[in-house]
Amino acid sequence: MAYDLIVIGSGPGGYVCAIRAAQLGLKTAVVEKDKTFGGTCLNVGCIPSKALLHASELFEEAGHVFAKMGIGVGTPKLDLPAMMKFKDEGVDGNVKGVAFLFKKNKVDSFQGTGRVAAAGKVEVKGADGKTQVLETKNIVIATGSDVARLRGITIDEKRVVSSTGALTLDKVPQKLLVVGAGVIGLELGSVWRRLGAEVTVVEFLDRILPGMDSEVCRQFQRILEKQGVTFKLAAKVTAIDTSGNRLKASVEPAAGGAAETIEADVALVAIGRVPFTDGLGLKEAGVALDNRNRVQVDAHFATNVKGIYAIGDVIAGPMLAHKAEDEGVAVAEILAGQAGHVNYDVIPNVVYTYPEIASVGKSEEELKAAGVAYNTGKFPFTANGRAKVNLQTEGFVKILADAKTDRVLGVHIVGPDAGNMIAEAAVAMEFGAAAEDIARTCHAHPTLTEAVKEAALAVGKRAIHI
Ligand code: FAD
Ligand code: NAI
């Protein structure tokens, strides 16, 4: 029996695509090489990292903030195996949820490595080595991404780890060296710092979180330094000697110069991710890749080969679960004859540290580079009643609005719960809101979201509480 659609990969791109296609009446199957569904995000990415961030944040609060609120718990004791079990159970619940949704929506699933044998044909090789060929009208490649490696440095996932190993360490390292001050380095660096590790982050560039608004990042770096994280910017790790009891990393200035040695118990390599297309047979099938080995697609997610599409981390764009999901929905709708679309100008970006960093739309640097005149409205959490009473006053909300039309072009938040608050900004931008629209919308008191309203008022220089 031929399928209408076979999706290769069951991450947030692939599984959401399959469910939406099935909802629209397409006979759909998913091929997944791993034992569980959900891809990087559910198994070794978003979900386990957020479980550890949540637990370690509460551990930190119990140790440092509870007493200030009159809650006496003594010095909290870490039970790392129990914390890991909590994380694993969270992952288990989520991956089982995907299996449930496949059944509910009558999506067939095949466990094995998928290969594009030709347009309309997917070969599935099971763990037992047996292969079967499935026939389909359309194929969506949703094979995601893999850890980027540093030349000459072997990741053993015990002492030299990627994010995957950093999510399963069996003891808290006394000293953790993080290579890369991107999202993974700062999130997982935060987890282990809170649990007791001394954390040094080495970053190639002269700033953290490249691509995000630099004012936000400057303030955030200061906050992390206050929390005890050490940064070595404009520096690169060139080698890690694993022969002794402790790792010895050679660190050089990015521009070249004398190397120094940093000792550590564990090194986390978090220098980005690369598209994953191994064993997919794309070359043989004639599917074009771009200059960064991503599957090349047009505005409708179609590759150069008829009937083969691609979405998620394996194509261009931010490597984010919600971007992959929205592309999954869009391509399913296109295949069903509808007008699926993703608005790449309004994709929120959240770093789940404490405080959180969240942004949507353009940064100040991007607006300046594009020559767009804009007004800025800024409001600090020190002036927000709820943040004050909760002892969570670090950070601010910044709204960038077009100087002529007042249309919101970018919103940047450093602060508690920034990841939830950014949704309001995304909805406003999706509806083409002006800062005035946010400023005139009644926000519940006392909430942190009042800082968003005040920042919008500040665009017109009329914030009330500052
Ligand atoms: P993936 O989730 O990578 O899924 C691809 C799937 O395809 C995998 O299951 C793989 O086994 C399967 N596959 C590959 N090749 C084949 C084949 N030939 N045959 C069969 N199956 C195959 N993003 C966020 O938005 N928020 C976060 O908080 C966040 N946290 C993260 C934390 C970490 C530690 C990491 C590593 C990533 C995080 N991300 C986060 C990024 C997010 O995980 C990815 O953007 C997202 O998973 C991409 O989805 P995808 O469907 O494109 O690919
Ligand atoms: P990243 O691209 O966010 O950061 C990598 C950092 O490493 C950059 O700052 C880069 O300049 C630096 N770097 C590169 N080479 C280096 C070298 N040789 N020495 C020192 N520094 C070097 O990549 P990261 O953190 O690995 O995350 C991968 C992807 O996963 C990201 O693209 C992100 O989108 C996604 N992700 C998203 C999360 C979220 O949304 N909260 C959480 C975790 C990951």
Side-chain angles (χ1 to χ4, degrees):
M1 174 209 38
Y3 286 99
D4 293 314
L5 170 64
I6 293 180
V7 183
I8 306 180
S10 72
Y15 87 73
V16 168
C17 174
I19 291 170
R20 184 70 187 121
Q23 281 178 349
L24 291 166
L26 303 186
K27 175 86 192 127
T28 305
V30 169
V31 181
E32 171 55 57
K33 69 175 171 53
D34 287 351
K35 285 198 189 81
T36 50
F37 300 125
T40 304
C41 174
L42 272 61
N43 291 283
V44 291
C46 325
I47 295 298
S49 61
K50 265 77 255 180
L52 289 184
L53 279 156
H54 178 63
S56 62
E57 190 175 321
L58 293 180
F59 180 74
E60 172 107 336
E61 275 193 29
H64 296 97
V65 190
F66 277 19
K68 291 183 194 155
M69 296 191 256
I71 309 168
V73 290
T75 307
K77 224 175 119 245
L78 176 65
D79 181 345
L80 188 59
M83 194 179 278
M84 289 294 170
K85 185 164 173 266
F86 154 78
K87 173 209 64 175
D88 292 341
E89 284 170 357
V91 168
D92 190 52
N94 274 279
V95 299
K96 282 187 177 144
V98 176
F100 163 79
L101 290 171
F102 281 167
K103 275 213 180 83
K104 181 181 163 210
N105 288 283
K106 301 194 172 40
V107 171
D108 289 347
S109 58
F110 294 86
Q111 205 198 336
T113 302
R115 188 175 72 85
V116 180
K121 282 192 184 9
V122 174
E123 183 193 86
V124 183
K125 187 174 187 180
D128 55 6
K130 286 194 187 132
T131 59
Q132 60 180 316
V133 175
L134 308 170
E135 310 260 328
T136 179
K137 288 185 192 140
N138 297 292
I139 298 170
V140 168
I141 297 163
T143 50
S145 61
D146 192 13
V147 173
R149 285 153 211 273
L150 261 176
R151 198 172 300 155
I153 294 176
T154 307
I155 292 175
D156 61 17
E157 297 297 13
K158 293 267 181 286
R159 292 204 299 163
V160 181
V161 298
S162 70
S163 52
T164 304
L167 290 166
T168 53
L169 296 180
D170 55 11
K171 66 174 193 272
V172 179
Q174 201 187 334
K175 187 146 183 205
L176 173 68
L177 172 68
V178 176
V179 189
V183 201
I184 291 181
L186 300 186
E187 287 190 353
L188 295 180
S190 288
V191 165
W192 293 106
R193 205 271 315 145
R194 292 167 188 166
L195 300 182
E198 200 184 306
V199 176
T200 301
V201 182
V202 175
E203 163 61 46
F204 188 78
L205 300 175
D206 60 0
R207 54 162 297 173
I208 67 170
L209 292 174
M212 293 193 91
D213 188 273
S214 62
E215 182 187 19
V216 163
C217 295
R218 275 197 307 276
Q219 168 140 6
F220 183 47
Q221 186 183 333
R222 282 197 294 274
I223 293 173
L224 288 177
E225 283 168 345
K226 268 206 307 202
Q227 292 175 6
V229 178
T230 305
F231 287 94
K232 255 192 136 10
L233 301 183
K236 59 184 177 192
V237 173
T238 51
I240 300 179
D241 177 357
T242 57
S243 59
N245 280 344
R246 287 196 111 188
L247 304 173
K248 287 196 175 78
S250 304
V251 181
E252 280 177 22
E260 63 170 309
T261 302
I262 295 185
E263 292 201 359
D265 303 291
V266 173
L268 162 60
V269 178
I271 57 159
R273 293 180 63 83
V274 289
F276 185 79
T277 54
D278 289 2
L280 257 180
L282 295 186
K283 204 166 166 209
E284 297 79 353
V287 175
L289 304 182
D290 69 12
N291 57 355
R292 289 168 64 183
N293 279 330
R294 301 172 296 201
V295 178
Q296 204 168 316
V297 292
D298 67 13
H300 293 109
F301 310 101
T303 68
N304 59 317
V305 178
K306 197 168 180 309
I308 304 182
Y309 299 78
I311 56 169
D313 279 10
V314 81
I315 67 168
M319 288 183 166
L320 296 172
H322 40 286
K323 175 258 191 189
E325 289 185 43
D326 282 10
E327 289 176 343
V329 168
V331 76
E333 292 179 347
I334 289 167
L335 290 174
Q338 299 187 353
H341 174 71
V342 176
N343 180 2
Y344 290 99
D345 290 334
V346 185
I347 294 187
N349 200 350
V350 180
V351 186
Y352 297 86
T353 42
Y354 185 83
E356 290 181 346
I357 312 294
S359 71
V360 61
K362 302 282 186 236
S363 65
E364 289 207 50
E365 294 74 50
E366 284 171 326
L367 292 177
K368 279 179 192 148
V372 177
Y374 61 94
N375 291 324
T376 305
K378 226 176 118 180
F379 191 81
F381 283 105
T382 42
N384 172 274
R386 185 68 181 276
K388 260 166 83 172
V389 77
N390 285 358
L391 305 176
Q392 296 182 313
T393 51
E394 281 172 320
F396 58 84
V397 179
K398 178 164 81 172
I399 297 187
L400 309 173
D402 189 283
K404 261 204 213 115
T405 64
D406 195 36
R407 187 180 175 136
V408 178
L409 302 174
V411 178
H412 305 272
I413 309 177
V414 186
D417 219 18
N420 280 321
M421 281 193 279
I422 204 69
E424 162 180 8
V427 172
M429 287 177 68
E430 198 61 60
F431 279 80
E436 180 77 10
D437 293 317
I438 298 179
R440 292 210 177 263
T441 301
C442 189
H443 285 64
H445 176 77
T447 61
L448 299 169
T449 65
E450 287 171 288
V452 178
K453 174 182 169 134
E454 290 269 12
L457 282 165
V459 170
K461 302 198 177 5
R462 53 186 221 274
I464 300 291
H465 289 90
I466 193 149

